[in-house]
Amino acid sequence: MTRMSTIAVIATLVVAVLHVGFMILESVLWTTPTGRKIFGQTKESAATTKVLALNQGCYNGGAAALLGWAALTDRGDTTAALLIFIIAMGIVGAATAKPTILVIQAVPAAIALALVLM
């Protein structure tokens, strides 16, 4: 794979920043009024699922860190593989949890992937 363009790196870093935000929402804000509102949770359901959300948040943080590393060290193949994974997880999330996940997670990753592959 050839060297990634500046716009591909920037788009990938935007996806990484989004995943840092997802990590914070899931790992830190899950049981707060803001987190409950975003995810449509009651106090009780948020408390019950807090550990699962923390785990999910950690995965998003890991994805963000790996994307940032891959993009900033010009590892185009690794960046593409991570973006494909994120697109797939966005599709699964949209199908099983909330349709807006497709727009918030999968579409930005797909745009970044297209730019990486150019």
Side-chain angles (χ1 to χ4, degrees):
M1 183 169 256
T2 60
R3 185 168 172 85
M4 288 184 2
S5 69
T6 301
I7 191 73
V9 171
I10 291 168
T12 300
L13 293 176
V14 167
V15 174
V17 168
L18 285 171
H19 279 75
V20 169
F22 302 154
M23 178 194 69
I24 292 167
L25 283 170
E26 294 162 347
S27 300
V28 179
L29 301 176
W30 187 259
T31 57
T32 67
T34 299
R36 290 195 319 268
K37 181 179 179 184
I38 289 170
F39 293 103
Q41 299 267 354
T42 63
K43 259 187 181 178
E44 296 77 21
S45 65
T48 301
T49 58
K50 181 179 180 176
V51 173
L52 295 172
L54 176 62
N55 184 283
Q56 190 170 291
C58 288
Y59 274 94
N60 279 312
L66 289 170
L67 268 179
W69 166 78
L72 293 173
T73 57
D74 201 33
R75 288 174 165 79
D77 291 342
T78 302
T79 302
L82 289 164
L83 290 167
I84 291 167
F85 171 76
I86 288 170
I87 293 164
M89 294 306 96
I91 292 168
V92 169
T96 60
K98 197 173 182 183
T100 56
I101 293 172
L102 190 68
V103 174
I104 296 168
Q105 180 176 325
V107 169
I111 292 167
L113 177 62
L115 292 167
V116 167
L117 295 176
M118 291 175 93

